[in-house]
Amino acid sequence: MVFGLTGPPADEVFREIRAAQVSSVFRQMPIALAVNTVNAALTAIVLQRLAGVILPFGWLCGVVLVTAGRLVLWLRYRRASPSEKDDPQWPLLATGGSLLAGLCWGLGGPVLFPILPVLGQMFLTIVIGGMCTGAVVTSASHLPTILAFLLSASLPVAILFFCQGTLTGSALGAMVLVFVAALALAAVHFNRFLADTTRLRIELSRANLRLQAEIAERQATEAALRQAQKLEVIGQLTGGIAHDFNNLLTIVNGNLTLAMERIGENSAGVPLLRGALQAAERGGALIHRLLAFARKQRLDPKPVNLSHLVAGIEDLIRRTLGDRIGLAIASDPDLSPARVDANQLELAILNLTINARDAMSGGGSLRIELQNSRTGDRSPPELSPGDYVVVSISDTGTGMDEETLARAFEPFFTTKELGIGSGLGLPMVQGFAAQSGGAVRIRSELGGGTTVELWLPQADEPPLKTPVPSAACSPSR
Ligand SMILES: Nc1ncnc2c1ncn2[C@@H]1O[C@H](COP(=O)(O)OP(=O)(O)OP(=O)(O)O)[C@@H](O)[C@H]1O
Ligand SMILES: [Mg+2]
C-alpha cells in the first residue's frame, strides 16, 4: 500500500480523527444518558431505605438536571451542520458534561456516606465502579471525556475512604485508585486503537479516491491516445489519396480548359464544359482542405503581424457574420509577429468565423482577441515550450455538448445538415496549426458559447513590410 507514503498532510488527518472521535462520543451519548438516569433512579430507590428519602432523591434530582443539560447539548449537536460540527466547542462541552455527570456520582459519596451504613457505602461504591466501567466503553473514543468522568466520579470516593483513617478504609481507597488507574489505562489503549482505526479508514478512503481519479485520468489519456492514433491513420490515408487526386484534378482542369479554348466561345458545349470545370474546382477546394487536415499542404511561413492580417479581413468577417452578429477585435499593443502562412491563417480564421456564425443563428457577438502567451498551465499540452501568439475567437452561440466537443476535430464529423457541413473545417484548422508548429484548443459549454484558441509560434524576425496578402477566396459558404 502506498497511501502511507503520499498521504494527506498530518494536521488534516488529525482534524478528521478529532471530528470522528467527537462524533462518536455524541453518537453514544443517548446510551450514557439513559444508563445514568436509570442507574441513579435505582440507586436512589435502594438508598432511601437506608438513608431516608430527602438526600437520595435530592441527589437524584441533581443527576437528572445534569442529564437534561447533556440531552440539550446532544440535540444541539445533532442539529448542527457538518461545518458547525467542526467547531472546537463541541469536544469541550462534551468533556464538561461528562465532568458534571462524574461529579454527581463522585459527590454522592461525601453527601451520602456519612448517613449510610457500611452495606449502603459498599453498594454505592460498586455502582460508581460499574458506571466508570460503562463510561470507558461508551466514551473511550474521546480521551478527555472519559478521563473527566473517571476521575470526577472516583477520586472523591477514594479520598473519602482514605479519610476514614482505618486500615479497611485505606485499603478500599487504594483499591478504588488501582481500579481507576486500570480503567484509565484501558481507556488510553482503547482510545489509541480507535484513533488508529479511524486514521486507517480515512487514509484508505483517500487512497481509494486517488486511485479512482488516477484510473479516470488514465482512461481519458488512453481515449485521447486512441483518438490521436485514429486521426493519424486517417490523416495518412487521406493525405495519400488527396495528393494523387489533386494530380488527377490538375490534369482534368487542364484538359477542360484546353477543350474550352478549342471548341470556341460560341459552341453549345461550352456551358457543359464550364459546369465540369466548376465542379473540378470545388473538388480542388475539398482536396485542399483534406491536405490541410493531413498536414500535407504546401505552406509558406513568414513573420506576420496578426493585427494587420485580421484588420485586412475585417470586412470579409463582417460580411460573413451578417447584421445580427456583432464583431469586436482586441489586440495586444505589443503583439509579437507570428511565423505562419498568412493565406492559410486567413482561411482558418474565416472557417472559425463561419462555425461561430452557424452557432449564432439567432444573433450574438464574436470577439477576436490577439495576445502574446508563453507555454504553461493554460497552453495546449502538445506545444513545445516557448513563446506564442494566440488568436482567440469567442462566440456567444449554442456551444457544444460533451460528445460534440470530443469529436469536433474528427474529419467528416459534422452536426450540420447534409450538404451544408463537410466536417472538415476544424480538422483543417488543426492540421494547419500543427503543421505551423502551433496547436488549437477549444473551450465550449452547451448554451454558453465557444472559444477557439489558435496558438501560433512567435517569429524571431520582424514582419515583412509588404502588405499581407488577403485570402484569395471568400468563405466556403
Ligand atoms: N463555434 C462553434 N459553436 C458550436 N459548435 C461548433 C462550433 N464550431 C464547431 N462546432 C461543431 O463542430 C462540428 C465540426 O465543425 P467543423 O468546422 O469541423 O465542420 P462543419 O462546420 O460541420 O463543416 P465544414 O466546416 O466542413 O463546413 C460542427 O458541425 C459543430 O457541431
Ligand atoms: Mg466548419
Side-chain angles (χ1 to χ4, degrees):
M1 286 262 183
V2 291
F3 56 77
L5 298 174
T6 54
D11 57 339
E12 213 177 295
V13 175
F14 176 75
R15 221 176 312 124
E16 279 199 39
I17 291 176
R18 200 185 57 187
Q21 287 174 329
V22 174
S23 131
S24 163
V25 165
F26 276 96
R27 243 196 339 269
Q28 302 283 352
M29 203 176 266
I31 301 173
L33 298 185
V35 170
N36 243 298
T37 317
V38 171
N39 279 0
L42 291 174
T43 306
I45 290 169
V46 171
L47 293 186
Q48 53 95 26
R49 287 173 172 263
L50 305 167
V53 175
I54 296 180
L55 276 177
F57 279 99
W59 168 78
L60 176 61
C61 284
V63 173
V64 170
L65 221 62
V66 170
T67 307
R70 293 177 77 196
L71 188 66
V72 171
L73 180 67
W74 176 73
L75 286 172
R76 274 185 49 204
Y77 180 82
R78 249 175 56 121
R79 288 195 197 119
S81 65
S83 65
E84 286 170 342
K85 283 180 178 168
D86 279 343
D87 196 316
Q89 65 156 340
W90 296 112
L92 286 178
L93 290 173
T95 308
S98 186
L99 180 78
L100 285 178
L103 275 178
C104 282
W105 288 96
L107 294 180
V111 175
L112 297 168
F113 265 33
I115 52 164
L116 282 176
V118 174
L119 183 67
Q121 291 179 0
M122 289 300 107
F123 174 74
L124 192 56
T125 310
I126 290 170
V127 173
I128 290 174
M131 288 303 295
C132 287
T133 314
V136 169
V137 178
T138 52
S139 313
S141 56
H142 189 235
L143 210 54
T145 303
I146 176 61
L147 289 181
F149 186 90
L150 266 187
L151 298 178
S152 59
S154 60
L155 284 186
V157 179
I159 293 168
L160 214 62
F161 278 129
F162 281 121
C163 287
Q164 284 178 358
T166 62
L167 182 65
T168 317
S170 300
L172 281 172
M175 280 165 74
V176 169
L177 287 184
V178 170
F179 179 67
V180 169
L183 278 184
L185 215 63
V188 169
H189 284 308
F190 199 21
N191 180 270
R192 213 173 276 164
F193 171 74
L194 288 179
D196 284 347
T197 313
T198 312
R199 186 196 313 279
L200 283 179
R201 187 172 52 73
I202 290 167
E203 288 180 343
L204 197 64
S205 82
R206 288 182 177 208
N208 198 22
L209 281 180
R210 273 203 303 280
L211 201 64
Q212 279 175 2
E214 275 165 25
I215 290 173
E217 199 180 278
R218 180 172 301 182
Q219 281 172 343
T221 314
E222 279 173 6
L225 189 69
R226 270 199 303 277
Q227 179 75 356
Q229 285 169 340
K230 192 168 94 183
L231 289 185
E232 183 69 34
V233 172
I234 299 177
Q236 280 170 6
L237 266 174
T238 321
I241 295 171
H243 201 263
D244 291 351
F245 221 80
N246 202 28
N247 291 341
L248 295 177
L249 270 180
T250 312
I251 299 169
V252 172
N253 266 330
N255 283 326
L256 283 173
T257 313
L258 281 176
M260 274 182 47
E261 280 170 15
R262 287 207 188 154
I263 62 172
E265 289 239 335
N266 301 326
S267 164
V270 167
L272 300 176
L273 287 177
R274 198 167 283 142
L277 202 57
Q278 277 169 359
E281 275 163 5
R282 277 207 301 279
L286 186 67
I287 293 290
H288 202 261
R289 298 179 104 190
L290 284 173
L291 282 170
F293 153 67
R295 301 167 201 186
K296 293 220 163 72
Q297 64 181 334
R298 225 172 286 129
L299 291 181
D300 183 17
K302 289 200 175 81
V304 178
N305 181 327
L306 296 195
S307 300
H308 292 172
L309 180 139
V310 172
I313 54 170
E314 188 178 337
D315 260 4
L316 195 51
I317 294 175
R318 279 189 200 281
R319 264 186 284 130
T320 307
L321 291 174
D323 295 338
R324 294 207 290 170
I325 300 173
L327 173 69
I329 299 174
S331 174
D332 186 337
D334 302 320
L335 193 72
S336 304
R339 190 171 181 76
V340 279
D341 182 312
N343 277 325
Q344 293 308 317
L345 178 58
E346 286 181 346
L347 282 178
I349 293 175
L350 289 172
N351 252 304
L352 297 174
T353 305
I354 292 169
N355 278 354
R357 179 201 66 193
D358 292 350
M360 296 188 284
S361 49
S365 63
L366 183 86
R367 183 177 171 81
I368 301 180
E369 234 175 297
L370 306 166
Q371 59 195 22
N372 297 325
S373 198
R374 282 192 74 81
T375 39
D377 291 346
R378 295 183 42 250
S379 60
E382 63 268 34
L383 284 180
S384 325
D387 294 315
Y388 290 82
V389 182
V390 183
V391 183
S392 309
I393 300 182
S394 310
D395 64 59
T396 54
T398 55
M400 292 180 237
D401 58 27
E402 268 180 42
E403 200 211 326
T404 308
L405 187 59
R407 300 188 60 192
F409 287 121
E410 229 174 72
F412 306 111
F413 171 78
T414 179
T415 55
K416 294 169 191 171
E417 280 168 37
L418 198 68
I420 293 191
S422 65
L424 278 175
L426 286 176
M428 175 207 143
V429 173
Q430 191 186 37
F432 157 69
Q435 205 182 337
S436 308
V440 190
R441 191 171 60 172
I442 302 189
R443 276 179 284 125
S444 187
E445 205 182 300
L446 199 58
T450 300
T451 297
V452 183
E453 283 178 6
L454 254 175
W455 288 63
L456 301 164
Q458 280 187 16
D460 299 328
E461 323 93 272
L464 299 177
K465 289 278 179 286
T466 49
V468 173
S470 187
C473 41
S474 54
S476 56
R477 278 176 286 120

Short mmCIF file of all heavy atoms in Angstrom, two decimals, residues 289 350-356 358 413-414 416 420-427 429 476-477, ligand 2:
data_model
loop_
_atom_site.label_atom_id
_atom_site.label_comp_id
_atom_site.label_asym_id
_atom_site.label_seq_id
_atom_site.Cartn_x
_atom_site.Cartn_y
_atom_site.Cartn_z
N ARG A 289 -8.57 21.20 -48.43
CA ARG A 289 -8.89 21.07 -47.01
C ARG A 289 -8.40 19.73 -46.47
O ARG A 289 -7.91 19.64 -45.35
CB ARG A 289 -10.40 21.19 -46.79
CG ARG A 289 -10.95 22.53 -47.21
CD ARG A 289 -12.43 22.59 -47.01
NE ARG A 289 -12.74 23.37 -45.84
CZ ARG A 289 -13.94 23.46 -45.29
NH1 ARG A 289 -14.93 22.78 -45.81
NH2 ARG A 289 -14.15 24.18 -44.23
N LEU A 350 -11.41 32.48 -41.13
CA LEU A 350 -12.73 32.53 -41.78
C LEU A 350 -13.53 31.27 -41.50
O LEU A 350 -14.74 31.31 -41.29
CB LEU A 350 -12.56 32.74 -43.30
CG LEU A 350 -12.08 34.15 -43.66
CD1 LEU A 350 -11.75 34.24 -45.14
CD2 LEU A 350 -13.15 35.19 -43.30
N ASN A 351 -12.85 30.13 -41.49
CA ASN A 351 -13.52 28.87 -41.16
C ASN A 351 -14.12 28.93 -39.77
O ASN A 351 -15.27 28.52 -39.55
CB ASN A 351 -12.47 27.74 -41.17
CG ASN A 351 -12.66 26.85 -42.37
OD1 ASN A 351 -13.74 26.33 -42.55
ND2 ASN A 351 -11.62 26.72 -43.18
N LEU A 352 -13.33 29.45 -38.82
CA LEU A 352 -13.81 29.54 -37.44
C LEU A 352 -14.94 30.56 -37.34
O LEU A 352 -15.89 30.38 -36.57
CB LEU A 352 -12.66 29.92 -36.50
CG LEU A 352 -11.52 28.88 -36.45
CD1 LEU A 352 -10.36 29.39 -35.61
CD2 LEU A 352 -12.04 27.56 -35.89
N THR A 353 -14.85 31.62 -38.15
CA THR A 353 -15.92 32.63 -38.16
C THR A 353 -17.23 32.00 -38.65
O THR A 353 -18.30 32.25 -38.09
CB THR A 353 -15.53 33.80 -39.10
OG1 THR A 353 -14.28 34.29 -38.67
CG2 THR A 353 -16.56 34.91 -39.06
N ILE A 354 -17.11 31.18 -39.68
CA ILE A 354 -18.34 30.54 -40.22
C ILE A 354 -18.95 29.61 -39.18
O ILE A 354 -20.16 29.59 -38.97
CB ILE A 354 -18.01 29.78 -41.53
CG1 ILE A 354 -17.64 30.77 -42.62
CG2 ILE A 354 -19.18 28.91 -41.96
CD1 ILE A 354 -17.04 30.13 -43.85
N ASN A 355 -18.08 28.86 -38.49
CA ASN A 355 -18.59 27.97 -37.42
C ASN A 355 -19.34 28.79 -36.38
O ASN A 355 -20.42 28.40 -35.91
CB ASN A 355 -17.43 27.24 -36.74
CG ASN A 355 -17.01 26.01 -37.53
OD1 ASN A 355 -17.65 25.66 -38.50
ND2 ASN A 355 -15.93 25.39 -37.10
N ALA A 356 -18.72 29.93 -35.99
CA ALA A 356 -19.34 30.78 -34.96
C ALA A 356 -20.67 31.33 -35.47
O ALA A 356 -21.68 31.32 -34.76
CB ALA A 356 -18.40 31.91 -34.60
N ASP A 358 -22.64 30.02 -37.68
CA ASP A 358 -23.65 28.95 -37.72
C ASP A 358 -24.19 28.63 -36.32
O ASP A 358 -25.32 28.16 -36.18
CB ASP A 358 -23.04 27.68 -38.33
CG ASP A 358 -22.73 27.87 -39.81
OD1 ASP A 358 -23.18 28.90 -40.37
OD2 ASP A 358 -22.04 27.01 -40.40
N PHE A 413 -16.72 14.80 -39.27
CA PHE A 413 -17.74 14.87 -38.23
C PHE A 413 -18.43 16.23 -38.33
O PHE A 413 -17.78 17.28 -38.27
CB PHE A 413 -17.14 14.71 -36.83
CG PHE A 413 -18.15 15.01 -35.75
CD1 PHE A 413 -19.12 14.08 -35.41
CD2 PHE A 413 -18.18 16.26 -35.11
CE1 PHE A 413 -20.08 14.36 -34.45
CE2 PHE A 413 -19.15 16.55 -34.16
CZ PHE A 413 -20.09 15.60 -33.83
N THR A 414 -19.72 16.17 -38.50
CA THR A 414 -20.48 17.43 -38.56
C THR A 414 -21.85 17.22 -37.93
O THR A 414 -22.39 16.12 -37.98
CB THR A 414 -20.63 17.93 -40.01
OG1 THR A 414 -21.39 19.12 -39.99
CG2 THR A 414 -21.31 16.92 -40.92
N LYS A 416 -24.07 19.44 -38.85
CA LYS A 416 -24.88 20.23 -39.78
C LYS A 416 -25.54 19.33 -40.82
O LYS A 416 -25.12 18.19 -41.01
CB LYS A 416 -23.99 21.29 -40.44
CG LYS A 416 -23.50 22.29 -39.40
CD LYS A 416 -22.43 23.22 -39.88
CE LYS A 416 -21.85 23.97 -38.68
NZ LYS A 416 -20.69 24.74 -39.00
N ILE A 420 -24.51 20.89 -46.11
CA ILE A 420 -24.17 22.20 -45.52
C ILE A 420 -22.79 22.13 -44.88
O ILE A 420 -21.93 22.96 -45.11
CB ILE A 420 -25.23 22.63 -44.49
CG1 ILE A 420 -26.53 22.90 -45.23
CG2 ILE A 420 -24.77 23.86 -43.71
CD1 ILE A 420 -27.59 23.57 -44.44
N GLY A 421 -22.56 21.09 -44.07
CA GLY A 421 -21.24 20.96 -43.43
C GLY A 421 -20.53 19.71 -43.93
O GLY A 421 -21.15 18.67 -44.10
N SER A 422 -19.25 19.84 -44.20
CA SER A 422 -18.49 18.65 -44.62
C SER A 422 -17.73 18.05 -43.45
O SER A 422 -17.20 16.97 -43.53
CB SER A 422 -17.51 19.03 -45.74
OG SER A 422 -16.53 19.92 -45.22
N GLY A 423 -17.65 18.79 -42.34
CA GLY A 423 -16.90 18.28 -41.17
C GLY A 423 -15.40 18.34 -41.38
O GLY A 423 -14.66 17.58 -40.77
N LEU A 424 -14.98 19.28 -42.25
CA LEU A 424 -13.52 19.37 -42.50
C LEU A 424 -12.93 20.70 -42.02
O LEU A 424 -11.73 20.89 -42.07
CB LEU A 424 -13.24 19.21 -43.99
CG LEU A 424 -13.19 17.77 -44.49
CD1 LEU A 424 -13.03 17.73 -45.99
CD2 LEU A 424 -12.07 17.00 -43.83
N GLY A 425 -13.82 21.61 -41.51
CA GLY A 425 -13.34 22.94 -41.10
C GLY A 425 -12.33 22.86 -39.95
O GLY A 425 -11.19 23.30 -40.08
N LEU A 426 -12.77 22.29 -38.83
CA LEU A 426 -11.88 22.23 -37.67
C LEU A 426 -10.68 21.32 -37.91
O LEU A 426 -9.56 21.67 -37.53
CB LEU A 426 -12.66 21.80 -36.42
CG LEU A 426 -13.57 22.87 -35.82
CD1 LEU A 426 -14.37 22.33 -34.65
CD2 LEU A 426 -12.75 24.08 -35.38
N PRO A 427 -10.87 20.13 -38.54
CA PRO A 427 -9.67 19.32 -38.82
C PRO A 427 -8.65 20.08 -39.65
O PRO A 427 -7.44 19.97 -39.44
CB PRO A 427 -10.22 18.12 -39.60
CG PRO A 427 -11.63 18.03 -39.20
CD PRO A 427 -12.09 19.42 -38.91
N VAL A 429 -8.23 23.39 -39.71
CA VAL A 429 -7.60 24.40 -38.85
C VAL A 429 -6.56 23.73 -37.95
O VAL A 429 -5.44 24.22 -37.78
CB VAL A 429 -8.68 25.12 -37.98
CG1 VAL A 429 -8.02 26.04 -36.97
CG2 VAL A 429 -9.61 25.90 -38.88
N SER A 476 -16.20 29.55 -47.61
CA SER A 476 -16.78 28.48 -48.40
C SER A 476 -18.28 28.62 -48.57
O SER A 476 -18.84 28.11 -49.51
CB SER A 476 -16.43 27.13 -47.78
OG SER A 476 -16.87 27.11 -46.46
N ARG A 477 -18.95 29.23 -47.61
CA ARG A 477 -20.36 29.46 -47.78
C ARG A 477 -20.70 30.89 -47.48
O ARG A 477 -20.03 31.54 -46.71
CB ARG A 477 -21.18 28.56 -46.86
CG ARG A 477 -21.34 27.23 -47.44
CD ARG A 477 -22.05 26.32 -46.48
NE ARG A 477 -21.18 25.94 -45.40
CZ ARG A 477 -21.41 26.18 -44.12
NH1 ARG A 477 -22.46 26.85 -43.75
NH2 ARG A 477 -20.60 25.76 -43.18
MG MG B 2 -16.96 24.48 -40.04
#
